[in-house]
Amino acid sequence: MRLFPDGQRIGLGGAPLGNLLGAVSDAEAGATVDAAWAEGWRYFDTAPHYGLGLAEERLGAGLRDKPRDEYVLSSKVGRIIYDAADAATDDEGFAVDTTRRRRWDFSRDGVLRSIEDSLRRIGTDRLDVVFVHDPDDHYEEAVATAFPALIELREQGVIGAIGSGMNQSAMLTRFVQEIDIDVIMLAGRYTLIDPDGLDDVLPACLANDVQVVAVGVFNSGLMSQPRPAADATFNYEPAAQSLLDKANKLADVCESHHTTLPAAALAFPLAHPAVAGIAVGCRTPSEVRTNAALARTEIPAALWADLKSAGLLRADAPTP
C-alpha cells in the first residue's frame, strides 16, 4: 500500500500528543493535528504506549472530521493498556497521571485486544498499518504469535500493511529477512548523525521490497535546532560531547551552504530508495509549521559532497 498519499513524504508522529517529556493540552493537541492536515500531511502514527492511550484518543479527536479515505493511519501492538485501582504518574517518559497501566503482550489474543482497544480509543473503523512495537526482549513471542496474527488480519483485508517499529536495526533486519512484512518504522538509526542502518536493515529492505518509515530523524533533539544546545539529548539521553561536537561540525557545513542542520536532517533520510517517508513528532502547531517549512527547503547538492569530504557523512550514504 502507499504509505504517504498525494506525494507528501512527511507525516505526524504521535508520541508528543501523549505528553512525551511534557504536558500538552487537549486543545493544543487538536490544533497540532489540524496544522498537520493544513500542511498537507496525510500520514499519522500513534501507539497505545504513547501516554497510555492518550495520544490515540487525541489523534482520533483531531481526525474525526477528516475524510477517512484521505489519510493513512498507523498504530502498534505489544503493550496492553489496562486500568488499575489507583492513579499514578507514568514512569516511562509521558507526563500523565492516570489509573491506566501498560503490560507487555505479544500473544495472538493480546494483538487482537490491542487493535480492538486502539480502534475504540481512536474512534475509527480500521488501522491501515500495524507495527509490532519494541519487541527487543520478546523476539520469540513476536515471531511465534504477534506476526502470524497480523498476517492473518492482513490476509483478511482488516489491515493494509504490517511491520515492526524499533530503535535498533539488528532485530528489524531479522524481521525483514525472515517474515513477510510490508514496512518497518526505523527510529533514530538512519539519520544524518547516525546512518548505521546502511549496514544491515536498509539493504535488507531493498532486497525484500519492504518500505521504511524513518522516525527520530533529529535523534530526540540533537539536530532539531540550527545549533545543538549544551544540554541536547540523543536518543532521549544527554548527548555525549563527541556527538555535540559532530553536530556542531555538521551545522558549520550547513551554514556554509546557507541552510540549517534541521533542514538537512529532515532531507537526508528521504534520499534512500527504501525510505517511503518520515514521521516527525510535534507537540504544537508552531512545530508542525516549522518542520513543514524545513521540509520544503532546497538543500544545495554541494552540501552532501562537502559533508562526505569532511568525513561527517558516510561515502556510501545516498543523497538527494
Side-chain angles (χ1 to χ4, degrees), residues 17-232:
L17 302 184
N19 290 358
L20 178 65
L21 304 181
V24 175
S25 70
D26 289 344
E28 196 156 47
T32 299
V33 177
D34 285 342
W37 189 271
E39 290 290 350
W41 298 5
R42 294 295 183 269
Y43 176 80
F44 298 88
D45 176 68
T46 187
H49 174 54
Y50 303 156
L52 293 155
L54 179 62
E56 289 186 317
E57 291 169 343
R58 285 174 162 175
L59 180 60
L63 292 174
R64 198 145 295 149
D65 63 344
K66 309 297 192 292
R68 183 62 186 87
D69 291 340
E70 292 186 13
Y71 63 88
V72 171
L73 174 65
S74 63
S75 192
K76 306 180 181 77
V77 298
R79 295 172 174 92
I80 294 292
I81 307 303
Y82 66 97
D83 285 316
D86 302 315
T89 301
D90 181 58
D91 61 359
E92 294 199 29
F94 297 91
V96 292
D97 191 73
T98 176
T99 59
R100 293 177 179 176
R101 305 286 192 276
R102 59 173 74 74
R103 69 168 182 266
W104 294 106
D105 192 336
F106 293 90
S107 69
R108 184 179 188 279
D109 287 346
V111 166
L112 297 178
R113 174 179 169 180
S114 181
I115 291 173
E116 182 179 350
D117 289 348
S118 290
L119 293 173
R120 174 180 49 78
R121 284 190 292 262
I122 298 169
T124 187
D125 63 349
R126 71 182 188 275
L127 299 173
D128 301 299
V129 185
V130 177
F131 295 103
V132 176
H133 198 191
D134 295 338
D136 302 71
D137 299 321
H138 306 270
Y139 173 84
E140 290 79 9
E141 193 176 8
V143 171
T145 54
F147 283 116
L150 292 180
I151 289 170
E152 179 183 337
L153 293 173
R154 183 184 61 189
E155 291 175 347
Q156 294 171 354
V158 177
I159 297 168
I162 67 167
S164 182
M166 302 181 73
N167 292 288
Q168 60 154 297
S169 62
M171 191 177 293
L172 283 176
T173 303
R174 294 187 66 181
F175 293 151
V176 168
Q177 294 172 335
E178 299 169 7
I179 300 168
D180 180 20
I181 61 175
D182 309 290
V183 57
I184 62 166
M185 180 166 279
L186 182 61
R189 303 284 75 79
Y190 192 60
T191 70
L192 189 59
I193 206 165
D194 183 2
D196 288 346
L198 285 170
D199 291 330
D200 50 15
V201 71
L202 292 171
C205 286
L206 286 178
N208 291 275
D209 195 26
V210 171
Q211 300 180 76
V212 177
V213 178
V215 300
V217 298
F218 298 135
N219 286 111
S220 83
L222 182 61
M223 296 185 289
S224 63
Q225 302 298 323
R227 286 280 170 180
D231 61 350

